[in-house]
Amino acid sequence: MGKIDRIAEPWGTRTPYGPGQEWPSRVDAFLEEGAAVERWVPSASILHSNGDALDIAVAGGRIVGVRGRADDRVNRGRLGPKDLYGWQAGRSSDRLARPLVRDGDRLVESDWDTAMDRIVRRSKELLDERGPGSIGFYTSGQLFAEEYYTLSVVAHAGVGTNHLDGNTRLCTATAAAALKESFGTDGQPGTYADIDHADVIALFGHNMAETQSVSWARILDRLAGPEPPALVCVDPRPTPVARAATVHLAPLPGTNVALMNGLLHQIIENGHIDREYIDRHVVGFDELAERVKDYPPERAAEICDVPAADIRRAAEVLGTARRLLSTVLQGFYQSHQATAAAVQVNNLHLIRGMLGRPGCGLLQMNGQPTAQNTRECGADGDLPGFRNWANDEHIADLARIWNVEPDALPHYGPPTHAMQILRYAEQGSLGMLWISGTNPAVSLPELARVRSILAQERLFVVVQDIFRTETAELADVVLPAATWGEKTGIFTNADRTVHLSEKAVEPPGEARADLDIFLDYAARMDFRDKDGAPLVKWHDPESAFEAWKECSHGRLCDYSGLSYARLRGPSGVQWPCNDEHPDGTERLYADGGFWSAPDVCESYGRDLVTGTPVEPGEYRALNPGGKAIVKAAAYLPPHEAPDADHPYALITGRTLYHFHTRTKTGRAPQLDAAAPEVWVEVAAADAAARGLAEGDLAEVTTPRGTVHAKVRVTGIREGVLFLPFHYGYWDRAPDGGHDRAANELTLTDWDAASKQPIYKTAAARIALAERGTGPSAAPTTTASAPLAAAGAPTSGGTAALADEQPGGTR
Ligand SMILES: Nc1nc2c(c(=O)[nH]1)N[C@H]1C(S)=C(S)[C@@H](COP(=O)(O)OP(=O)(O)OC[C@H]3O[C@@H](n4cnc5c(=O)[nH]c(N)nc54)[C@H](O)[C@@H]3O)O[C@H]1N2
Ligand SMILES: Nc1nc2c(c(=O)[nH]1)N[C@H]1C(S)=C(S)[C@@H](COP(=O)(O)OP(=O)(O)OC[C@H]3O[C@@H](n4cnc5c(=O)[nH]c(N)nc54)[C@H](O)[C@@H]3O)O[C@H]1N2
Ligand SMILES: [Mo]
């Protein structure tokens, strides 16, 4: 067994393989020095959407490490840096251990009865005085399915409010929206196993190397083996993906639709389409062919500012692929034409007939570990089981399962999206907002506004978290939650693989599982079904899972063939898993059998420009036979474009070593040290023009605010600045000011169809604040790699030495 510094070598050692072969296993592990492991408890990683299966090592009632599971289909034993080191955060001494309640301008320690009483009293007052529309819930992509499903029942049928959404709105709302537009329903068509078969892999606005690092290791292993796939990368930054690419297109931020139309123009013109597939399985092709006529490569090149020759070359690679795998993520989703752009990738696969066969995969990626479950369970602005809010029969079906009257379920319009819930809070019609497992005071756009909304006296804010976050500081009641490793539940990754994560240790102090908190609320509120029995009829994770299985039965996301026993090993299972597919389902739509018929579909779609829902009758006329839908879109310029005052396009996103607002990774020493403070990525020519050098402290300003960050000069395309969004204020002195979080700068605006906020275009300026004394502390192993040598390369030293066993089994 080898030892390797996985901070310095994030993807570990290569295990090359060829097309159609099985990805060799490699077992990665990281244990506390001298740990004498007593038990291994099965789980999977909860720090991204990859679903890396692992076992948690326990000794003396504490988590002491993790080890990848060789037999699992997702990771074959591998773990990424966050998987290896991130678990240490749970043991942090500053975990919330008791409820807190507000006493004037302070939060004081309290007990569960007092805290829950306050919540219940306020809920009942609001229900009596102002009705269910005065209560809202904003949840996460990081809880378990059992928890979302319970919250979904509590909100939809108990409280009876339509204001329930997840932070999945910021994350994968566009994935769901794009799948609904093209296939009539959410549900990931592809599978990670398509990496083993593809001859072309295209990554659209997806820095997989840093954000799903284990799947990137799978691609690196293909690249190191015989007959490697060609890679197409669409990203304005020189990410590790871009550096490995056969063709790298670096468009101006917010121009994805023009680029996609340019590519589709070429593919159609070159005849690289599957006529037979289109005729049998697709509606809308002619409109697409007509629309993309306006986007010859020269026009797309001009809009996107990329060479026309590169567009031609990429179109040739995509158009001649025999087995094409595409992935799409935030570079497309967090933009003004998010759904329109993501749908064009679906179109690429539909017109080339690249669906449902090995290597022909489409992954409209998720980001968060359990975002898929937020969506399936209806905790995010959807209804449970991909049911259609505009179809009365679906509402009746849900009412039957929950034993309530259909009218008890609000469905006068689509469930309210998070940005609109916030707006209701701002205007005052919302009197209570219950926030679970998300940190909006750092992650929502335009933070000064978010702080002022959450701090209002008239808004009663409940925060359910594991740490005292920036958001918790603004709460009226703070509930201490148990987290991963301290509670049991299932979750589903981006390729529909379901894992069971079992409780390994006790939570700190009085912290309780999110499920128990929601069940306690339901009991104290005394929610009843139509026969007077308790509305929520389950009491623990497994009984909640059984209830969810019943709700999912007969829908695309069918869990009815799964059980906790089945999920105990050896590998996760891909839904749908039912009588028809007892071993799960690797690829959806293998036979061109879609879930888009008017009676079964989850959505009739939306107008991609205005977001207006399509009328049922209109949908029936468009797609009576339940085919896949090709939707065309014209390019529209970003809402906030650079101008003389703010000449740069600002984009924000992630780095390999941190997760979101750093509540976990900032408390894991190896990860924190690898990226200890915020930086801004600047192109060499732009730095020179502004008199900036590596390591200088810069001031980055948009019409919303100013952030101070150290300059990192990289190969990012000219005219674009990049800020990581991880750095909030919890680890700073209370009076440290608000000049570090990227979201001080972002705008209150969203894609009309998916309602996903725009984090990847804003107009900004940059200026010197203070001359630097050395290079910035940005990682050198990632997209932030310096152009010229700048200080010591990122490494973790002996503290980061992890085990690595190629070919390992246990
Ligand atoms: N290390 C790490 N991994 C994570 C997470 C994390 O916080 N840290 N978070 C998880 C979550 S929740 C998510 S959603 C995923 C996100 O995973 P990704 O989407 O891969 O991450 P981002 O950095 O947000 O954005 C991806 C890329 O979009 C590019 N981009 C920006 N603007 C544009 C544009 O206009 N067009 C195009 N084509 N590209 C553009 C950026 O340069 C960036 O490299 O990662 C998951 N995995
Ligand atoms: N500028 C900019 N902003 C962005 C993005 C971007 O690219 N740029 N990306 C967006 C995206 S894709 C995402 S997903 C969001 C993420 O934004 P957030 O959801 O706000 O980020 P996290 O830091 O993951 O917040 C999760 C919270 O849940 C807590 N938590 C962890 N485990 C548990 C648990 O088991 N129970 C409970 N109750 N709490 C728990 C954590 O301590 C943390 O406070 O940010 C979005 N914001
Ligand atoms: Mo996300």
Side-chain angles (χ1 to χ4, degrees):
M1 186 171 336
K3 286 273 185 192
I4 171 172
D5 171 0
R6 293 292 304 281
I7 295 292
E9 298 188 58
W11 305 286
T13 307
R14 297 283 54 78
T15 52
Y17 71 124
Q21 293 170 2
E22 183 167 89
W23 189 28
S25 68
R26 184 191 86 194
V27 174
D28 299 344
F30 179 72
L31 294 176
E32 183 180 81
E33 182 84 47
V37 180
E38 293 158 13
R39 298 184 290 132
W40 293 96
V41 179
S43 181
S45 173
I46 196 129
L47 293 168
H48 47 71
S49 58
N50 215 56
D52 302 334
L54 53 78
D55 291 326
I56 302 172
V58 182
R62 281 157 59 91
I63 297 179
V64 294
V66 291
R67 181 182 64 193
R69 270 208 302 280
D71 295 334
D72 196 88
R73 59 171 306 281
V74 170
N75 57 325
R76 310 274 290 131
R78 286 166 196 75
L79 297 176
K82 289 199 279 42
D83 305 343
L84 288 165
Y85 311 111
W87 54 269
Q88 298 166 96
R91 309 198 315 190
S92 188
S93 58
D94 62 347
R95 281 285 301 277
L96 285 171
R98 296 188 63 188
L100 308 174
V101 296
R102 183 156 296 281
D103 177 12
D105 56 7
R106 290 184 321 138
L107 285 168
V108 295
E109 283 209 348
S110 181
D111 55 75
W112 278 100
D113 273 337
T114 308
M116 292 305 288
D117 274 355
R118 284 202 189 187
I119 298 171
V120 167
R121 202 170 349 116
R122 190 54 178 261
S123 303
K124 288 185 172 164
E125 274 166 22
L126 284 167
L127 283 176
D128 284 351
E129 289 162 19
R130 290 155 63 182
S134 60
I135 298 179
F137 296 88
Y138 179 47
T139 192
S140 182
Q142 299 170 43
L143 308 184
F144 292 149
E146 295 82 351
E147 299 173 327
Y148 298 130
Y149 185 57
T150 304
L151 177 61
S152 185
V153 179
V154 162
H156 291 294
V159 174
T161 180
N162 216 13
H163 309 324
L164 164 61
D165 202 1
N167 66 354
T168 46
R169 185 63 58 186
L170 327 179
C171 183
T172 60
T174 303
L179 292 168
K180 289 178 203 171
E181 291 302 331
S182 304
F183 307 109
T185 178
D186 194 351
Q188 194 69 265
T191 169
Y192 289 152
D194 287 328
I195 296 172
D196 308 346
H197 303 277
D199 65 334
V200 176
I201 303 178
L203 297 97
F204 297 95
H206 181 193
N207 183 7
M208 185 197 273
E210 300 193 47
T211 58
Q212 277 83 21
S213 62
V214 164
S215 284
W216 180 244
R218 194 167 185 159
I219 291 182
L220 288 178
D221 285 346
R222 278 289 322 269
L223 292 176
E227 297 175 63
L231 235 55
V232 176
C233 170
V234 183
D235 194 310
R237 295 192 305 148
T239 61
V241 178
R243 285 189 220 117
T246 317
V247 191
H248 173 206
L249 303 171
L252 280 171
T255 62
N256 296 313
V257 168
L259 186 76
M260 290 309 302
N261 282 352
L263 293 170
L264 292 169
H265 174 281
Q266 282 306 97
I267 287 166
I268 293 173
E269 190 169 277
N270 295 338
H272 289 149
I273 58 172
D274 185 338
R275 253 292 153 202
E276 199 192 321
Y277 189 92
I278 294 171
D279 290 343
R280 287 180 55 185
H281 298 305
V282 171
V283 296
F285 174 72
D286 294 344
E287 196 198 325
L288 178 75
E290 198 52 42
R291 177 60 55 80
V292 299
K293 279 190 184 147
D294 295 343
Y295 298 87
E298 278 68 26
R299 168 131 196 265
E302 195 186 317
I303 297 170
C304 307
D305 192 27
V306 299
D310 288 358
I311 296 180
R312 288 204 166 81
R313 199 157 150 245
E316 186 66 24
V317 173
L318 296 169
T320 56
R322 282 166 295 116
R323 295 165 189 262
L324 170 67
L325 167 64
S326 296
T327 74
V328 192
L329 203 46
Q330 300 308 355
F332 272 42
Y333 296 169
Q334 293 176 336
S335 219
H336 66 297
Q337 285 194 291
T339 310
V343 157
Q344 301 318 311
V345 181
N346 296 345
N347 291 346
L348 167 64
H349 281 257
L350 287 169
I351 69 173
R352 295 224 56 227
M354 294 274 165
L355 217 55
R357 289 182 283 128
C360 303
L362 173 59
L363 294 166
Q364 294 284 353
M365 289 293 298
N366 298 340
Q368 286 180 94
T370 76
Q372 188 61 47
N373 308 105
T374 320
R375 276 147 53 185
E376 295 158 7
C377 296
D380 73 323
D382 287 312
L383 292 180
F386 298 159
R387 286 179 177 78
N388 186 342
W389 64 267
N391 183 332
D392 284 344
E393 279 173 31
H394 288 198
I395 299 289
D397 190 38
L398 202 53
R400 174 189 59 77
I401 294 166
W402 291 347
N403 196 34
V404 297
E405 297 294 346
D407 282 351
L409 305 178
H411 58 283
Y412 49 84
T416 318
H417 64 94
M419 298 298 283
Q420 185 62 37
I421 294 178
L422 205 74
R423 181 88 180 113
Y424 289 148
E426 185 172 40
Q427 292 168 324
S429 69
L430 199 81
M432 170 174 156
L433 182 60
W434 187 329
I435 299 167
S436 50
T438 180
N439 189 9
V442 182
S443 57
L444 280 178
E446 205 179 345
L447 290 181
R449 171 175 178 260
V450 174
R451 283 188 293 269
S452 79
I453 294 172
L454 295 181
Q456 295 173 101
E457 200 146 336
R458 67 181 180 185
L459 181 71
F460 185 76
V461 176
V462 180
V463 170
Q464 185 170 318
D465 207 289
I466 65 173
F467 293 110
R468 193 159 163 167
T469 60
E470 295 84 346
T471 309
E473 293 300 338
L474 301 168
D476 295 284
V477 174
V478 179
L479 303 176
T483 189
W484 177 90
E486 301 163 356
K487 61 180 184 180
T488 293
I490 67 111
F491 63 97
T492 307
N493 77 347
D495 85 340
R496 289 175 284 105
T497 305
V498 186
H499 286 118
L500 175 64
S501 179
E502 299 210 65
K503 177 171 173 175
V505 298
E506 291 300 325
E510 297 173 22
R512 300 171 68 184
D514 296 278
L515 176 66
D516 292 330
I517 300 174
F518 295 140
L519 288 174
D520 187 25
Y521 178 68
R524 288 177 193 254
M525 290 295 289
D526 198 24
F527 293 131
R528 300 272 156 177
D529 69 12
K530 68 180 180 191
D531 297 322
L535 173 68
V536 179
K537 297 176 176 59
W538 45 94
H539 56 276
D540 67 357
E542 191 158 5
S543 54
F545 181 64
E546 291 300 317
W548 162 238
K549 276 166 58 178
E550 187 196 337
C551 183
S552 73
H553 182 59
R555 301 294 300 163
L556 177 58
C557 54
D558 196 337
Y559 283 72
S560 60
L562 290 172
S563 65
Y564 273 22
R566 170 75 199 276
L567 289 169
R568 287 203 168 96
S571 170
V573 182
Q574 288 170 291
W575 65 244
C577 178
N578 49 23
D579 290 345
E580 200 184 329
H581 307 281
D583 296 321
T585 307
E586 194 157 42
R587 295 175 185 85
L588 300 183
Y589 313 137
D591 47 1
F594 297 100
W595 274 70
S596 56
D599 295 338
V600 300
C601 69
E602 180 183 11
S603 167
Y604 305 125
R606 288 173 183 272
D607 181 275
L608 295 182
V609 177
T610 63
T612 310
V614 173
E615 291 296 325
E618 212 180 321
Y619 184 85
R620 230 170 247 284
L622 166 83
N623 193 19
K627 295 185 175 187
I629 304 147
V630 159
K631 264 197 186 177
Y635 163 73
L636 300 168
H639 299 175
E640 188 176 273
D643 60 15
D645 271 351
H646 298 92
Y648 296 96
L650 172 72
I651 58 180
T652 63
R654 311 168 149 69
T655 189
L656 175 70
Y657 301 104
H658 278 302
F659 184 62
H660 299 171
T661 72
R662 273 181 322 127
T663 65
K664 288 180 174 172
T665 50
R667 289 175 171 92
Q670 297 85 347
L671 298 169
D672 189 46
E677 61 179 32
V678 68
W679 69 90
V680 55
E681 292 168 23
V682 189
D686 294 331
R690 304 284 149 184
L692 294 167
E694 169 74 36
D696 284 349
L697 188 70
E699 200 175 81
V700 184
T701 303
T702 70
R704 272 76 49 196
T706 295
V707 159
H708 287 97
K710 290 220 178 123
V711 170
R712 164 54 54 90
V713 179
T714 74
I716 192 170
R717 63 156 299 150
E718 279 176 39
V720 179
L721 305 173
F722 175 89
L723 270 176
F725 85 102
H726 307 293
Y727 300 89
Y729 308 106
W730 59 262
D731 53 346
R732 218 188 213 195
D735 56 359
H738 290 125
D739 73 336
R740 181 161 80 169
N743 281 320
E744 304 293 347
L745 305 181
T746 47
L747 57 169
T748 300
D749 195 0
W750 51 83
D751 170 46
S754 68
K755 322 292 182 199
Q756 182 158 350
I758 299 172
Y759 292 114
K760 289 193 171 30
T761 50
R765 60 169 180 263
I766 185 167
L768 180 70
E770 210 177 288
R771 207 37 92 196
T773 51
S776 85
T780 63
T781 42
T782 60
S784 59
L787 256 193
T794 300
S795 71
T798 50
L801 286 181
D803 298 325
E804 189 188 68
Q805 195 187 357
T809 46
R810 275 287 160 196

